[in-house]
């Protein structure tokens, strides 16, 4: 939710890191954002769960990768 919220606001995500155990927004806002971005019209709960699970794995791997670290790559992959 934190990434999608900032993405919709046009924020620079290259320097953002997920803050564990921090709470932002309401459950309604979170669900609305997931529905907007999941890519399925009228998704089931299983489809929403799969979307959030996959997105979470990808973002966690991205944060852990040295190749996505802006301090390491400098400006060679800006916006990647």
């Amino acid at each position: 939710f934190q990434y999608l919220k900032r993405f919709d606001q046009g924020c620079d995500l290259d320097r953002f890191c997920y803050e564990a155990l921090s709470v932002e927004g309401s459950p309604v806002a979170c669900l609305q954002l997931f529905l907007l971005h999941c890519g399925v019209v009228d998704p089931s709960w299983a489809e929403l769960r799969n979307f959030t699970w996959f997105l979470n794995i990808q973002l966690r791997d991205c944060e852990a990768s040295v190749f996505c670290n802006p301090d390491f790559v400098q400006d060679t992959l800006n916006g990647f």
Side-chain angles (χ1 to χ4, degrees), residues 17 24 26 31 37 39 41 51-52 59 65 75 78:
C17 274
E24 293 184 15
S26 68
L31 183 58
H37 288 280
V41 177
F51 167 71
T52 58
L59 292 171
S65 172
D75 63 351
N78 192 21

Side-chain angles (χ1 to χ4, degrees), residues 1-18 55 59 62-63 68 70 78-80:
F1 174 75
Q2 292 178 12
Y3 271 97
L4 291 176
K5 178 180 163 190
R6 283 165 178 77
F7 175 76
D8 278 355
Q9 293 171 345
C11 297
D12 180 15
L13 298 176
D14 289 341
R15 296 242 173 235
F16 175 73
C17 274
Y18 167 71
L55 183 61
L59 292 171
C62 181
E63 283 186 356
C68 295
N78 192 21
F80 177 69

